[in-house]
Amino acid sequence: MPIISVIIPAFNAEKTIQETINSVINQTFSNFELIIINDGSQDSTLEILESIKDPRIKIFSYPNAGAAVSRNRGFAKAVGEYIAFLDADDLWTPDKLEAQLSALQATPEAAVAYSWSDCIDETSKFLRPGGHISINGNAYAKLLMVDILENGSNPLIHRQAFIEVGGFDESLQAGQDWDLYLRLAAKYHFVTVPRSQILYRISANSMSADVWRLETASLQLISRAYSKAPSSLQKLKKYSLGNIYKYLTVKAIEGNPERKKGIAAIRFLGQTVKNDPLLLKHRIIWKVFLRALAIAVLPDRQAKVLLKNIQQLSGTSALLAYMKINT
């Protein structure tokens, strides 16, 4: 019987699914099953899946229902003592499962192991480091303020813990992974593998690129989380909101410039400063504002030229990373 069940939800993932699966097959820890939920794909995803010959792979096809439903469907098929989820466009380093399993086995009071994440582009090239936040033990307060795991492809979770918190909330439109981590952290300890093992892909077509939907879902999630949080942690809510709007600002201005996202970024930045006014003391906030303003007011081609110059002059990648992780 496999020790770990890896679950990949895949919807129209023909461009990335082969590389993602290879990052699982090439793990140094090999006693796993790989459950792939084909979520109503209409491209060649299923054909690619069926062409991969590995006895550990199990493919199930359903009508399209979204990532949360697909992850829960995958868990219903899983038999492993530990569960890991991987989005169809993200990658793992070869030692990810081995290192996280070792961390959990060495820390019996923990039910979740997670690693650091880095960001890659659509061609799998490195973009920037992630937050690289390490929490060992009670992670609940920090998770209220910011999603320290950063994506849905990160943790290794003890099967029984996943069952006890009820799996993914299928009613949420986004942020289902952060919601799950909060419910896990309320009951169980976390342990960190302090090295980059998750490569999170930044794509114009990803769910997180829809910043308006992400804002709505995140505010809903924060409201619900604080309705259950103890009174001693209620003071953290403004930091949670500030961090959400930092993240939304970054999502709105990274990648190819779009005027409507530039306008959204300016609004998000205003909310960021409202909840974290000390940011006004940092020059970097004005560089972010300049980038957002350029995207909002200039035609796309001119904005690209200007942003390229800003990149050369001030290191835009660094300021984007700062905005995302300085929490």
Side-chain angles (χ1 to χ4, degrees), residues 115-189:
S115 308
W116 293 345
S117 295
D118 287 338
C119 297
I120 58 175
D121 66 13
E122 293 181 344
T123 65
S124 302
K125 292 181 180 178
F126 176 84
L127 278 177
R128 65 171 186 270
H132 294 187
I133 299 172
S134 297
I135 299 289
N136 295 295
N138 186 348
Y140 184 64
K142 189 66 174 180
L143 263 171
L144 273 174
M145 291 191 291
V146 63
D147 179 5
I148 58 177
L149 280 71
E150 300 188 272
N151 56 75
S153 298
N154 195 331
L156 183 67
I157 305 169
H158 199 287
R159 177 186 186 87
Q160 191 57 39
F162 185 84
I163 292 172
E164 289 186 12
V165 300
F168 288 95
D169 186 340
E170 298 174 6
S171 70
L172 290 173
Q173 294 299 306
Q176 302 98 333
D177 43 3
W178 187 15
D179 171 73
L180 174 69
Y181 306 154
L182 279 167
R183 286 184 280 120
L184 286 165
K187 291 189 173 186
Y188 304 101
H189 281 186

Side-chain angles (χ1 to χ4, degrees), residues 139-148 178 182 214-215 217-227 229-230 232-249 268 271-277 279 323-324 326-327:
Y140 184 64
K142 189 66 174 180
L143 263 171
L144 273 174
M145 291 191 291
V146 63
D147 179 5
I148 58 177
W178 187 15
L182 279 167
L214 188 58
E215 178 190 22
S218 297
L219 293 178
Q220 176 188 355
L221 189 156
I222 287 176
S223 177
R224 183 166 67 178
Y226 276 95
S227 71
S232 61
L233 298 180
Q234 293 298 319
K235 61 185 178 182
L236 300 178
K237 189 172 183 179
K238 66 176 182 178
Y239 299 107
S240 301
L241 291 169
N243 287 329
I244 276 294
Y245 279 106
K246 288 178 193 174
Y247 178 71
L248 288 168
T249 302
F268 295 155
Q271 289 295 321
T272 300
V273 171
K274 176 182 177 182
N275 288 284
D276 189 2
L279 270 178
M323 283 292 295
K324 185 171 188 294
N326 188 44
T327 55

Side-chain angles (χ1 to χ4, degrees), residues 16-221:
T16 59
I17 190 64
Q18 179 76 63
E19 188 178 13
T20 296
I21 290 174
N22 287 343
S23 79
V24 180
I25 292 175
N26 294 329
Q27 290 292 301
T28 55
F29 180 86
S30 60
N31 189 10
F32 62 80
E33 62 175 350
L34 175 52
I35 298 170
I36 304 172
I37 303 298
N38 174 38
D39 188 29
S41 297
Q42 298 177 348
D43 60 2
S44 62
T45 295
L46 184 57
E47 288 79 0
I48 294 171
L49 295 176
E50 292 175 340
S51 72
I52 303 172
K53 305 304 179 185
D54 190 302
R56 296 170 294 183
I57 296 177
K58 303 172 184 178
I59 303 167
F60 302 92
S61 292
Y62 296 91
N64 179 255
V69 174
S70 293
R71 289 165 175 166
N72 285 339
R73 283 171 170 169
F75 178 76
K77 304 289 186 181
V79 299
E81 181 182 356
Y82 300 93
I83 309 297
F85 298 93
L86 176 59
D87 288 350
D89 56 351
D90 294 339
L91 305 174
W92 287 341
T93 61
D95 59 344
K96 188 266 190 189
L97 290 179
E98 181 179 8
Q100 290 185 342
L101 180 61
S102 295
L104 281 178
Q105 291 175 336
T107 317
E109 65 273 21
V112 179
Y114 76 97
S115 308
W116 293 345
S117 295
D118 287 338
C119 297
I120 58 175
D121 66 13
E122 293 181 344
T123 65
S124 302
K125 292 181 180 178
F126 176 84
L127 278 177
R128 65 171 186 270
H132 294 187
I133 299 172
S134 297
I135 299 289
N136 295 295
N138 186 348
Y140 184 64
K142 189 66 174 180
L143 263 171
L144 273 174
M145 291 191 291
V146 63
D147 179 5
I148 58 177
L149 280 71
E150 300 188 272
N151 56 75
S153 298
N154 195 331
L156 183 67
I157 305 169
H158 199 287
R159 177 186 186 87
Q160 191 57 39
F162 185 84
I163 292 172
E164 289 186 12
V165 300
F168 288 95
D169 186 340
E170 298 174 6
S171 70
L172 290 173
Q173 294 299 306
Q176 302 98 333
D177 43 3
W178 187 15
D179 171 73
L180 174 69
Y181 306 154
L182 279 167
R183 286 184 280 120
L184 286 165
K187 291 189 173 186
Y188 304 101
H189 281 186
F190 283 41
V191 62
T192 307
V193 176
R195 57 181 183 268
S196 298
Q197 296 187 306
I198 290 81
L199 304 178
Y200 175 68
R201 194 181 303 274
I202 303 297
S203 170
N205 297 319
S206 67
M207 181 183 297
S208 62
D210 186 343
V211 293
W212 301 274
R213 176 171 144 176
L214 188 58
E215 178 190 22
T216 299
S218 297
L219 293 178
Q220 176 188 355
L221 189 156

